[in-house]
Amino acid sequence: MTSIFSPLMHAGASARLGVSASISYGLSWLQWASCQVLKQGDIPKHIAFIMDGNRRFARKHSLQVQIGHVCGFNRLTEALNWCLDLGVEEVTVYAFSTENFKRPQAEVDALMTLAKEKFNDLVEHSAIKRHSVCVRVLGDLTMLDPEVRSAIEDATRRTEHHTGPRLNICIAYTSRSEMCHSMDRICAGVAKGDISTGEVSPSLFNKFLYTEGRSPPDLLIRTSGETRLSDFLLWQCSKTHLLFIRVLWPEFSVWHLYQTILQYQLA
């Protein structure tokens, strides 16, 4: 991967490439140059992530499970930053499935506590402010305790006026429950006479999903080596380019992202 971009790395490159100080906030020269090369090709407008491997990362490094989840959250903010630097317009992440409620109660409680703490950190993150990112949370939020819902509502309210890229966080979510939710709303509309049976169509069904008719992901990346969608965006990903990589989510790096973008461009 690096051999593709290394010719840009030499003395005086900044002058010849017209590097602005505004892009040097945290990028290495190799990272910046690689980003510029990739941007000459087709960048996916919408990337979805199945952030898998936090628990295995914790076991691998003899850490408590909750520390693995903290590391996973930290990686999310970094990955979001990398995507925004590339010009990605929308990022959707699978943060917590309804199936995850079946995990040990101590782990679920730790995840909910982490969510309360980190939603505030997220909206205060420099990337959210710099790019005017609008944060949305998708899922059956009635399954969450009031304190978590309050933290989510506060985070979404504080960014609802942002006009830049979108970050969609799927929590208490499965695609099957989302599709049932859409069908319930359509059936209720038909029962009230607001929707005729002749109007029922895939486009109408799409309108009532949690994603509310947003564009489907162009690229979906799942970490950890698992090769399944695990009930995530099943309706939306019918034409999405899927990439499964072996790295655990907390170990996902900018170079893994660049590699997947390159694979997407070459497909």
Side-chain angles (χ1 to χ4, degrees), residues 46-95:
H46 185 178
I47 298 180
F49 290 97
I50 299 179
M51 307 181 295
D52 194 16
N54 291 346
R55 294 194 295 174
R56 274 171 278 181
F57 173 83
R59 289 195 295 268
K60 177 181 175 181
H61 295 279
S62 301
L63 301 170
Q64 293 181 330
V65 171
Q66 53 264 44
I67 300 300
H69 291 305
V70 171
C71 293
F73 172 82
N74 293 338
R75 188 59 69 205
L76 166 60
T77 56
E78 290 182 287
L80 173 64
N81 213 20
W82 303 330
C83 288
L84 297 177
D85 287 332
L86 282 165
V88 175
E89 298 174 4
E90 190 161 6
V91 174
T92 301
V93 299
Y94 203 3

Side-chain angles (χ1 to χ4, degrees), residues 3-260:
S3 62
I4 296 172
F5 305 114
S6 56
L8 295 176
M9 297 301 299
H10 50 72
S14 60
R16 284 188 288 278
L17 292 171
V19 178
S20 166
S22 65
I23 57 85
S24 63
Y25 55 86
L27 299 177
S28 68
W29 291 117
L30 180 57
Q31 186 177 333
W32 179 83
S34 302
C35 182
Q36 301 312 304
V37 170
L38 286 172
K39 287 167 76 172
Q40 301 310 304
D42 183 22
I43 297 295
K45 292 182 173 61
H46 185 178
I47 298 180
F49 290 97
I50 299 179
M51 307 181 295
D52 194 16
N54 291 346
R55 294 194 295 174
R56 274 171 278 181
F57 173 83
R59 289 195 295 268
K60 177 181 175 181
H61 295 279
S62 301
L63 301 170
Q64 293 181 330
V65 171
Q66 53 264 44
I67 300 300
H69 291 305
V70 171
C71 293
F73 172 82
N74 293 338
R75 188 59 69 205
L76 166 60
T77 56
E78 290 182 287
L80 173 64
N81 213 20
W82 303 330
C83 288
L84 297 177
D85 287 332
L86 282 165
V88 175
E89 298 174 4
E90 190 161 6
V91 174
T92 301
V93 299
Y94 203 3
F96 191 84
S97 165
T98 55
E99 296 296 311
N100 293 150
F101 283 110
K102 298 176 183 178
R103 291 181 177 180
Q105 191 60 45
E107 182 181 352
V108 173
D109 291 343
L111 280 166
M112 293 300 104
T113 299
L114 180 65
K116 286 185 288 186
E117 296 172 353
K118 295 302 184 180
F119 267 107
N120 179 67
D121 293 347
L122 181 65
V123 296
E124 291 297 326
H125 194 274
S126 59
I128 297 290
K129 295 182 176 181
R130 184 171 64 253
H131 293 276
S132 191
V133 175
C134 178
V135 177
R136 299 172 68 233
V137 179
L138 313 178
D140 184 1
L141 303 188
T142 62
M143 299 183 70
L144 305 174
D145 69 55
E147 290 184 357
V148 176
R149 290 202 302 271
S150 177
I152 288 172
E153 290 167 3
D154 181 61
T156 54
R157 178 183 53 79
R158 289 162 62 187
T159 65
E160 64 184 359
H161 63 284
H162 288 187
T163 57
R166 286 177 176 244
L167 171 62
N168 306 311
I169 302 173
C170 296
I171 186 169
Y173 173 94
T174 64
S175 188
R176 286 175 296 175
S177 63
E178 178 186 29
M179 288 189 278
C180 287
H181 168 79
S182 177
M183 187 56 66
D184 284 344
R185 292 182 64 183
I186 291 172
C187 290
V190 170
K192 292 179 181 178
D194 297 331
I195 299 172
S196 70
T197 55
E199 292 177 292
V200 177
S201 66
S203 61
L204 181 67
F205 186 81
N206 193 45
K207 178 181 177 181
F208 288 112
L209 294 171
Y210 295 143
T211 48
E212 297 178 0
R214 298 291 300 174
S215 63
D218 301 295
L219 171 64
L220 182 144
I221 301 168
R222 178 169 186 156
T223 57
S224 85
E226 299 291 344
T227 55
R228 59 180 185 272
L229 293 180
S230 296
D231 214 348
F232 180 54
L233 300 181
L234 301 180
W235 176 270
Q236 295 88 341
C237 286
S238 61
K239 297 182 180 179
T240 298
H241 188 82
L242 308 178
L243 284 172
F244 304 97
I245 59 177
R246 291 189 177 278
V247 65
L248 302 176
W249 173 251
E251 296 172 335
F252 183 77
S253 73
V254 67
W255 303 112
H256 293 111
L257 176 63
Y258 288 174
Q259 183 180 14
T260 59

